[in-house]
Amino acid sequence: MALLDIKDLVVSAEDKEILHGVSLSVGEGETHVIMGPNGAGKSTLGMAVVGSPEYEKTSGSVLIDGEDVTDESADKIAKKGVFISFQNPVEVPGVTMSSFIKSAMEQITGERIRLWDFKKKLTAAMEALDMDPSYAERDLNVGFSGGEKKKAEILQLLMLRPRLAILDETDSGLDVDAVRTVSAGIDLYRREVGGALLIITHSTRILDNLDVDKVHVIVDGKNACDGGRELVDDINANGFERFIKAGA
Amino acid sequence: MAEREKTQVADIDRTVYDMKNEDKDAYRFEGGLTREIVEKLSREKDDPEWMHDFRLRSLDLYNEIPVPDWGPDISGLNMDEIVTYVRPNAKMSANWDDVPAEIKNTFEKLGIPQAEINSLAGVGAQYDSELVYHNVRKEAEEQGVIYTDFESAVKGEYGDMVREHFMKLIPPEMHKFAALHGAVWSGGSFVYVPKGVKVSYPLQSYFRLNAPGAGQFEHTLIIVDEGADLHFIEGCSAPKYNVANLHAGAVEIYVKKGARCRYSTIENWSKNMYNLNTKVARVEEDGVIEWVSGSFGSHISYLYPTSDLVGERARSEFTSIAFANTDQELDTGCKVAHRAPNTHSYTNTRSISKGGGINNFRSSVYVAPEAKGSKCAVSCTSLMLDSESRSDTIPAMDIRTADCDVGHEAKIGRISDETVFYLMSRGLSEEEAKALIVSGFADTVSKELPLEYAVEMNNLIRLEMIGAIG
């Protein structure tokens, strides 16, 4: 049984249909990549899977461990071990990053964490991501640069240890050094947690050091092509043109 | 889970209203506030003559001054039965079993120890809290600080000092409830900090305030002498329960030259309460008054701490938060009078409205012609959690000199769906997410409070948001 099963999913936002039937299946520990031109519906797919109320699933289904979670709320899906890193993380004034991560961990595990243990883990993870330790006590994402926000997302990924991480354009807008750090964080997640990855991207820099199991090309809200790692190289060389033509 | 918690809160509310009706029945035969009642109270207190006369003069004023007609509706207060409020049935508050379930549950949820619970609920002065109070007093005494209950102060060796300052900042002419207070005040604290003494720990009032029958019309008089420093904390997060549902306390603070006083309070009244409280600070040259205020509970509140900046370079800082839930109207704010050159005031208020609750923020700023070079900044931010709640801002400014810098800023917002979703995607339930956002919004106040009070305030917010803690 697959960890995540998306079956013929149709999704609308503000009464406009964006996904017209997308299917894919991610097994435990696998790394999948979703590629496609801008506006193809890649991010919509990620947001719809984790239960964003902005996106309405009009037909099809999402299953986790074979269980239908199509209509579940975002917190229930998170508790089943699915994490999404946001393209634009939200600023939460008055709530420190450290206290937020701690309460999220406690919500997900249902157990209290001793402050000492938590601090130790947090410090180690922040070090791995080359983050200034003072950020732990800063308000979540408030006044963070674009790069710091993305690192804060990966930090949450490392701390929450989900079984599946959906990374939504995590590398966009980052300079080379930041991409390297974020990639190192993702690598750490793969090694330490052994979780599955579903990487939404339109570039390929972030994939350089990852073993990719499957690539799904989405064009115009539909699966245009599914394949292996070789698709990444193909797209790097030729772009999305042939998929767009095929779809039209 | 969430469903059960909601039901629980609804049940509790009913208990409170049932209690209120019973009280009314018990006192129906008694009339308005008479000279005889005030005389009797004065005799029981063994007032000195000046205080006796003061009470009677206040009573006359009380009978003359009309009920305020400019704020939230207080017609639910039956002024003809005002004696009900003055003479609560002591027997009822003396029995823990009679304290409404809402209050008891809140005590338990806040994790307040039993001894303190008994004391807070007015059941009686418990050994533990008495001990704490005496210890605080002893330490303060060693520094030369006077900290005593108000009755003793009136009669004791500081009687003249009390007489010189009592209800000079809040004269009974000020408004009807100030007059009422002058006539029937009972209980409270007197604090005097001598010149140059810096009190190293906060003095807390609730060990005194919650003595039986003392929480209704308590009078707090604080004098911080030249160059001295005091942090005074009034109340605590536990709801103060009174059988009678009117609270008209008075707080007068004198900040002398170069002194500083921080006055922190979290008021959390039971939700049948009319809280008509008056607080005024008079600040001399280079003095500083810092108000930190959290208003929770009550049915109706009128609360506008006032800073009278009479000396050059006197400063006022005001930080507050008000949380209005269902069936609550909180009319809160502050007043600042700049009466000397180069005085500064900074006001930062936040309000939260939920479930049809109403928050009015009322500010009044006066800058006298001689207050040249003064600066005044007022900022208020409101958060509305649903479309049935309300939030209004009512600023008043009277600026008599061009040589000053006055600013007013008001913001009204709602919790963004995007933020709620972001937090939910990390495993927090919708209610948890909203509670966290609201706690964050209240952070400007909670970070000004001592840690244990900040924790309690966050717990209070969680109680209002979710109906449970943790």
Side-chain angles (χ1 to χ4, degrees):
Chain A
M1 192 198 321
L3 169 55
L4 172 71
D5 240 330
I6 301 170
K7 289 184 177 165
D8 208 16
L9 193 64
V10 178
V11 175
S12 299
E14 288 166 358
D15 291 330
K16 186 172 173 264
E17 194 172 291
I18 299 172
L19 297 184
H20 314 294
V22 172
S23 300
L24 64 88
S25 181
V26 181
E28 201 89 51
E30 291 178 358
T31 297
H32 288 227
V33 179
I34 298 179
M35 301 187 78
N38 286 335
K42 306 186 296 290
S43 293
T44 299
L45 180 63
M47 284 296 172
V49 166
V50 298
S52 166
E54 271 182 59
Y55 298 94
E56 194 196 347
K57 299 172 196 115
T58 50
S59 74
S61 58
V62 178
L63 289 84
I64 298 172
D65 298 326
E67 192 189 325
D68 192 327
V69 296
T70 315
D71 299 318
E72 285 288 10
S73 58
D75 55 321
K76 301 276 166 48
I77 292 167
K79 281 182 177 146
K80 289 189 184 301
V82 179
F83 175 95
I84 187 160
S85 108
F86 280 60
Q87 218 182 114
N88 300 304
V90 181
E91 302 191 356
V92 191
V95 178
T96 65
M97 187 166 77
S98 149
S99 69
F100 168 63
I101 293 177
K102 184 163 179 283
S103 56
M105 284 169 77
E106 289 177 339
Q107 287 296 322
I108 282 182
T109 60
E111 285 167 23
R112 294 251 176 224
I113 303 162
R114 282 179 31 213
L115 191 63
W116 175 252
D117 297 340
F118 169 74
K119 292 269 180 202
K120 230 166 66 179
K121 279 183 193 163
L122 186 70
T123 308
M126 287 180 80
E127 226 164 82
L129 292 170
D130 199 18
M131 282 183 91
D132 182 337
S134 70
Y135 274 65
E137 298 311 318
R138 282 179 57 170
D139 290 355
L140 183 61
N141 295 327
V142 177
F144 288 21
S145 70
E148 299 295 349
K149 280 184 182 168
K150 295 290 169 73
K151 281 187 190 177
E153 294 291 288
I154 301 302
L155 177 66
Q156 292 174 46
L157 167 68
L158 292 175
M159 296 298 287
L160 296 176
R161 303 172 71 86
R163 293 163 59 210
L164 168 67
I166 302 173
L167 306 182
D168 187 5
E169 303 280 6
T170 298
D171 52 341
S172 71
L174 297 187
D175 61 30
V176 181
D177 289 338
V179 169
R180 197 172 296 131
T181 316
V182 163
S183 297
I186 294 166
D187 191 45
L188 196 62
Y189 164 74
R190 291 282 296 141
R191 277 187 286 120
E192 284 199 352
V193 185
L197 282 169
L198 183 57
I199 300 172
I200 298 168
T201 185
H202 62 264
S203 79
T204 56
R205 287 187 299 177
I206 202 166
L207 308 175
D208 288 349
N209 300 312
L210 281 171
D211 294 325
V212 175
D213 294 300
K214 264 198 179 142
V215 177
H216 313 271
V217 180
I218 292 181
V219 176
D220 276 340
K222 280 179 289 200
N223 297 67
C225 181
D226 298 296
R229 169 101 210 182
E230 70 283 353
L231 262 177
V232 176
D233 303 323
D234 181 1
I235 289 165
N236 265 347
N238 307 312
F240 294 108
E241 210 159 311
R242 76 178 170 97
F243 304 109
I244 295 169
K245 274 179 190 155
Chain B
M1 186 64 186
E3 203 54 42
R4 190 182 60 80
E5 285 163 353
K6 278 182 192 160
T7 317
Q8 192 182 9
V9 171
D11 285 343
I12 290 161
D13 279 344
R14 225 171 16 247
T15 325
V16 170
Y17 290 109
D18 290 346
M19 283 299 298
K20 189 175 137 194
N21 291 339
E22 279 169 32
D23 293 341
K24 266 193 170 165
D25 291 345
Y27 287 101
R28 190 172 290 160
F29 57 93
E30 297 192 12
L33 186 59
T34 62
R35 195 180 166 97
E36 288 68 41
I37 291 166
V38 175
E39 291 270 15
K40 187 162 181 266
L41 181 70
S42 183
R43 260 199 312 282
E44 279 171 12
K45 299 254 174 221
D46 195 18
D47 280 338
E49 199 186 335
W50 70 267
M51 184 57 86
H52 167 265
D53 295 347
F54 191 94
R55 287 187 190 273
L56 291 179
R57 185 168 78 82
S58 299
L59 176 65
D60 289 342
L61 286 163
Y62 166 75
N63 286 325
E64 282 167 23
I65 303 173
V67 173
D69 59 357
W70 45 267
D73 180 19
I74 52 170
S75 57
L77 258 180
N78 190 339
M79 302 306 285
D80 291 335
E81 290 177 17
I82 196 75
V83 67
T84 311
Y85 309 116
V86 178
R87 317 233 64 191
N89 190 337
K91 208 177 103 216
M92 280 194 71
S93 62
N95 190 343
W96 174 242
D97 293 337
D98 292 330
V99 175
E102 176 189 46
I103 310 258
K104 284 192 206 171
N105 288 347
T106 307
F107 278 132
E108 277 152 28
K109 285 172 185 164
L110 289 170
I112 292 170
Q114 189 64 39
E116 224 172 289
I117 288 176
N118 291 344
S119 160
L120 293 168
V123 173
Q126 282 288 304
Y127 177 75
D128 285 2
S129 60
E130 276 295 295
L131 192 70
V132 173
Y133 167 65
H134 283 304
N135 284 345
V136 167
R137 225 178 96 149
K138 194 168 154 254
E139 271 194 70
E141 263 169 19
E142 279 164 12
Q143 284 186 287
V145 174
I146 312 303
Y147 177 31
T148 178
D149 66 275
F150 208 71
E151 277 86 350
S152 312
V154 170
K155 285 177 283 191
E157 65 179 296
Y158 299 94
D160 288 344
M161 196 191 276
V162 172
R163 185 175 180 178
E164 192 188 319
H165 294 91
F166 178 74
M167 292 198 81
K168 293 291 196 296
L169 300 184
I170 304 172
E173 291 85 357
M174 197 182 228
H175 53 71
K176 192 173 186 71
F177 296 96
L180 176 64
H181 179 91
V184 301
W185 73 266
S186 174
S189 308
F190 171 69
V191 181
Y192 172 73
V193 186
K195 277 184 190 172
V197 170
K198 313 236 183 263
V199 184
S200 47
Y201 44 84
L203 289 187
Q204 310 192 14
S205 73
Y206 69 80
F207 301 115
R208 289 241 61 88
L209 264 185
N210 291 279
Q216 205 79 26
F217 300 102
E218 84 284 358
H219 195 91
T220 305
L221 174 58
I222 297 172
I223 302 168
V224 188
D225 215 332
E226 290 180 12
D229 194 315
L230 173 73
H231 183 185
F232 191 85
I233 300 175
E234 174 206 305
C236 71
S237 64
K240 294 177 196 166
Y241 169 64
N242 281 293
V243 181
N245 58 352
L246 167 65
H247 173 251
V251 176
E252 299 181 286
I253 304 174
Y254 293 84
V255 181
K256 306 274 179 175
K257 197 173 162 184
R260 186 189 80 119
C261 181
R262 167 171 281 225
Y263 190 92
S264 302
T265 174
I266 300 175
E267 297 191 37
N268 180 26
W269 299 98
S270 52
K271 293 198 177 166
N272 60 345
M273 180 64 81
Y274 290 82
N275 180 32
L276 312 169
N277 216 354
T278 312
K279 302 179 179 182
V280 179
R282 181 179 185 274
V283 189
E284 296 181 7
E285 200 177 315
D286 293 310
V288 181
I289 179 76
E290 296 169 5
W291 302 99
V292 181
S293 166
S295 295
F296 293 79
S298 84
H299 174 50
I300 304 280
S301 272
Y302 282 64
L303 182 63
Y304 326 98
T306 299
S307 302
D308 205 6
L309 307 177
V310 297
E312 216 169 317
R313 293 176 303 277
R315 283 211 320 269
S316 164
E317 278 177 33
F318 183 88
T319 312
S320 79
I321 187 134
F323 195 129
N325 213 328
T326 308
D327 208 23
Q328 288 183 260
E329 181 164 1
L330 306 184
D331 203 272
T332 61
C334 74
K335 294 182 189 173
V336 185
H338 294 258
R339 300 189 198 279
N342 301 312
T343 47
H344 287 197
S345 71
Y346 178 72
T347 299
N348 183 7
T349 71
R350 306 223 147 182
S351 75
I352 301 156
S353 315
K354 176 175 180 264
I358 302 171
N359 268 299
N360 305 317
F361 172 71
R362 220 178 273 272
S363 68
S364 155
V365 172
Y366 170 70
V367 182
E370 59 271 31
K372 299 196 186 324
S374 291
K375 278 187 185 151
C376 167
V378 179
S379 151
C380 77
T381 313
S382 314
L383 189 62
M384 280 188 289
L385 300 185
D386 48 55
S387 52
E388 39 168 356
S389 300
R390 236 180 71 191
S391 181
D392 291 321
T393 306
I394 308 160
M397 290 187 171
D398 181 0
I399 316 295
R400 299 295 172 96
T401 173
D403 182 15
C404 70
D405 186 354
V406 178
H408 184 275
E409 185 189 339
K411 276 183 282 194
I412 291 187
R414 290 172 194 282
I415 290 186
S416 85
D417 294 341
E418 201 191 359
T419 311
V420 173
F421 169 61
Y422 181 64
L423 300 183
M424 284 177 75
S425 79
R426 301 300 186 243
L428 277 66
S429 70
E430 188 175 344
E431 284 175 320
E432 292 280 351
K434 286 181 176 169
L436 192 67
I437 294 164
V438 171
S439 295
F441 179 75
D443 183 57
T444 47
V445 173
S446 53
K447 75 181 175 205
E448 295 294 330
L449 293 167
L451 182 65
E452 66 270 30
Y453 285 84
V455 169
E456 284 180 7
M457 197 179 88
N458 271 328
N459 284 344
L460 262 180
I461 289 170
R462 289 185 59 82
L463 266 177
E464 295 288 350
M465 294 297 296
I466 305 177
I469 291 170

